[in-house]
Amino acid sequence: MKGSHKQSSLLSALSRHDVVPANIIDQINTDFSKQRKPFIRFLIEDKQYDSQIIANVLSKTFGYPIIDLSQFDTNLVPEESRNESLIRKHNALPIFLRGKMLYVAMSDPTNLDALQEIQFNTGYATELILTDENSLQTCIEKILEEDSDSLDISDMDSEELSNLEVEEEHDHDDNVVSNEKEDAPIVTYINKILLDAIKKGASDLHFEPYEKAYRIRFRIDGILTEISRPPIRLASKMAARLKVMSKLDIAERRIPQDGRIKLALSKKKSIDFRVSTLPTMWGEKVVMRILDSSSAMLGIEMLGYEPDQKKIYTDALDQPQGMILVTGPTGSGKTVSLYTGLNILNTPERNISTAEDPVEINLEGINQVQINVKAGLTFPSALRSFLRQDPDIVMVGEIRDLETAEIAIKAAQTGHLVLSTLHTNSAAETLSRLLNMGVPAYNVASSVSIIIAQRLARRLCMQCKEPESIPDHELLEQGFLQEQLADVKLYKAVGCDHCSGGYKGRVGIYEVIQITDKISTIIMEGGNSLEVADQCQKEGFNNLRQSGLLKALQGVTSLEEVNRVTSS
């Protein structure tokens, strides 16, 4: 109700100044209830109201000064207030500090919670300055993109690139060090590649040797893109340099190896990479995963859950016991979903332990265990130890076998909240997978609280997306409902300087299933995944396809992208 009161006061002000007609206020409220974006942004993006006019009206009504951020010097933004999580959560940007007063630019003058939280986190008193939504978004993106002084590689010379530090790299012998000095251009080039990957928002880097070529590819927004083709003669030197950085055995080229790199970009910022080498016919292929702990700090609002799906997830997190399962293929964002939940639960009153292979996101306050099969530390042995460590919440990286499943279910039935993942295509298939592993039906029905199936789709670039016209009969074939056709407004990817092929960033598409009494009955009676899926539809749970089409209707992604990630 608090949010609706703020919304009403904004609409009332805009109506009094003839910006929003009074007779459509109810319709605006109804349309906004289906959204999860900030209200001012909704008015501008979905209702096409002028950003500057709204800012001027709200400035006069609420009495706050207004600032034009289009020419704002981003260097004025205090370093200690550049908290990406808070900025995105509240759509509020601290812009400069005067004594002990921190001035915060916002487009919504009713969002006083933002000022309080920023004040709490920075220790400064806060003062609101109004700005228009469009220039606020542009300024936020500009600041966050250049937030680290070390990410702008265009300003780095060869010496600075060569001297980027790999933290704790002190245990190499003299021969390796001398080789590194001889191969200074290789060191510089690889550091530039790593920084370029971070700057472009890549999730993975592939260094691939072939008979007559060597290529480097980045995975950006889920799609592999070729970045460079260095000379093939450099293949072995590049692999050796990456292995030195990862503290791997550079003399061993016959077997796969795994390692990690912590690259210190500056005194305040470092980035972790997970490194995997693989011997191929023409040399060692090296794949690096960029591990970004900040992804778990985005907050559940940023992940793409629909309001009803978010409520089911947060309600399950509030329960003292039960099992939350997240399913999907590799790279579908399962770890981020789980860690977003763990971040919500991470309070001083709770004991949280995780068993992972590998540990990808580091969170203070959570006891993370790296599985080491060679040393005898497996998922089942880690889980048994957890249950002797007075846990409240347990996270298992993946349920791979019956033993792990049985211990996890026992924990969920004895007063613990358990979170885990499985590799299945849908929520209904997850239940069948557990039954096929040998878990008794009554244990599945009594322990599993919710199942989340998910995919990641690329977001359309807000700068260049264009409306797309598709005939009604084709929309019906794609899965849209007849009642949706009157209001269909779809967009297609175009491509511009601000994005990659018309897309920028990714958003989750989810199927969130709550295990209701009727679904439990089907499980207990030995029903298959098709029967479970049918019951889920009857109870109003959207499947992945339906959730994807909803994202297309909202203009978040394109129908083409929905087809790519949800086609069976």
Side-chain angles (χ1 to χ4, degrees), residues 63-65 95-96 101-106 115 119 124-130:
Y64 290 109
I95 51 175
F96 55 83
M101 181 67 72
L102 182 63
Y103 291 85
V104 182
M106 296 193 295
L115 294 178
Q119 180 171 327
Y124 295 117
T126 53
E127 185 73 33
L128 189 153
I129 300 181
L130 266 177

Side-chain angles (χ1 to χ4, degrees), residues 350-506:
R350 295 186 175 104
N351 176 22
I352 304 175
S353 296
T354 74
E356 304 169 72
D357 186 19
V359 174
E360 291 194 12
I361 296 174
N362 298 318
L363 280 184
E364 186 175 343
I366 294 178
N367 308 291
Q368 298 170 278
V369 174
Q370 169 72 55
I371 295 303
N372 186 341
V373 177
K374 289 182 180 178
L377 182 55
T378 62
F379 280 118
S381 64
L383 271 174
R384 288 192 191 93
S385 296
F386 289 169
L387 296 180
R388 296 191 290 270
Q389 291 264 318
D390 184 31
D392 296 300
I393 296 151
V394 171
M395 197 268 269
V396 189
E398 184 183 351
I399 294 178
R400 298 175 179 173
D401 51 50
L402 176 59
E403 188 179 10
T404 307
E406 286 179 334
I407 301 171
I409 283 173
K410 178 184 177 183
Q413 292 173 333
T414 55
H416 306 95
L417 183 62
V418 179
L419 295 84
S420 190
T421 71
L422 277 89
H423 284 284
T424 56
N425 291 324
S426 69
E429 290 177 29
T430 302
L431 296 169
S432 296
R433 174 67 60 84
L434 289 172
L435 295 173
N436 291 338
M437 280 183 180
V439 179
Y442 61 86
N443 276 342
V444 174
S446 63
S447 60
V448 178
S449 304
I450 67 167
I451 302 173
I452 301 172
Q454 66 181 79
R455 302 289 187 274
L456 287 178
R458 291 176 294 171
R459 287 180 182 270
L460 282 167
C461 173
M462 300 302 294
Q463 304 286 336
C464 66
K465 69 177 184 179
E466 290 183 356
E468 183 176 26
S469 179
I470 299 176
D472 285 358
H473 69 88
E474 190 171 331
L475 292 174
L476 291 171
E477 290 177 4
Q478 292 287 341
F480 289 98
L481 302 177
Q482 184 68 48
E483 56 265 31
Q484 293 175 316
L485 297 186
D487 221 12
V488 167
K489 190 173 184 181
L490 301 177
Y491 294 86
K492 62 182 178 181
V494 179
C496 66
D497 294 337
H498 301 279
C499 64
S500 176
Y503 298 96
K504 187 173 184 180
R506 289 193 287 179

Side-chain angles (χ1 to χ4, degrees), residues 149-161:
D149 56 357
S150 55
L151 291 186
D152 190 1
I153 62 173
S154 59
D155 292 337
M156 282 188 162
D157 57 28
S158 296
E159 184 177 353
E160 289 175 310
L161 282 166

Side-chain angles (χ1 to χ4, degrees), residues 288-343:
M288 307 176 69
R289 164 70 56 90
I290 298 177
L291 306 177
D292 186 7
S293 298
S294 65
S295 60
M297 305 296 184
L298 292 176
I300 196 168
E301 293 81 7
M302 299 297 296
L303 298 186
Y305 287 94
E306 300 302 327
D308 57 331
Q309 296 175 333
K310 174 187 165 186
K311 186 176 188 310
I312 293 172
Y313 188 17
T314 53
D315 285 351
L317 291 171
D318 285 338
Q319 299 304 309
Q321 66 182 50
M323 180 179 286
I324 297 172
L325 294 174
V326 182
T327 182
T330 301
S332 60
K334 299 188 297 296
T335 302
V336 171
S337 278
L338 285 177
Y339 264 94
T340 300
L342 288 179
N343 197 40

Side-chain angles (χ1 to χ4, degrees), residues 207-227:
F207 296 79
E208 303 170 309
Y210 297 97
E211 183 179 10
K212 297 180 180 178
Y214 189 84
R215 71 175 176 182
I216 300 172
R217 293 189 291 173
F218 292 171
R219 188 177 294 278
I220 302 173
D221 295 337
I223 304 296
L224 276 171
T225 305
E226 185 173 310
I227 298 299

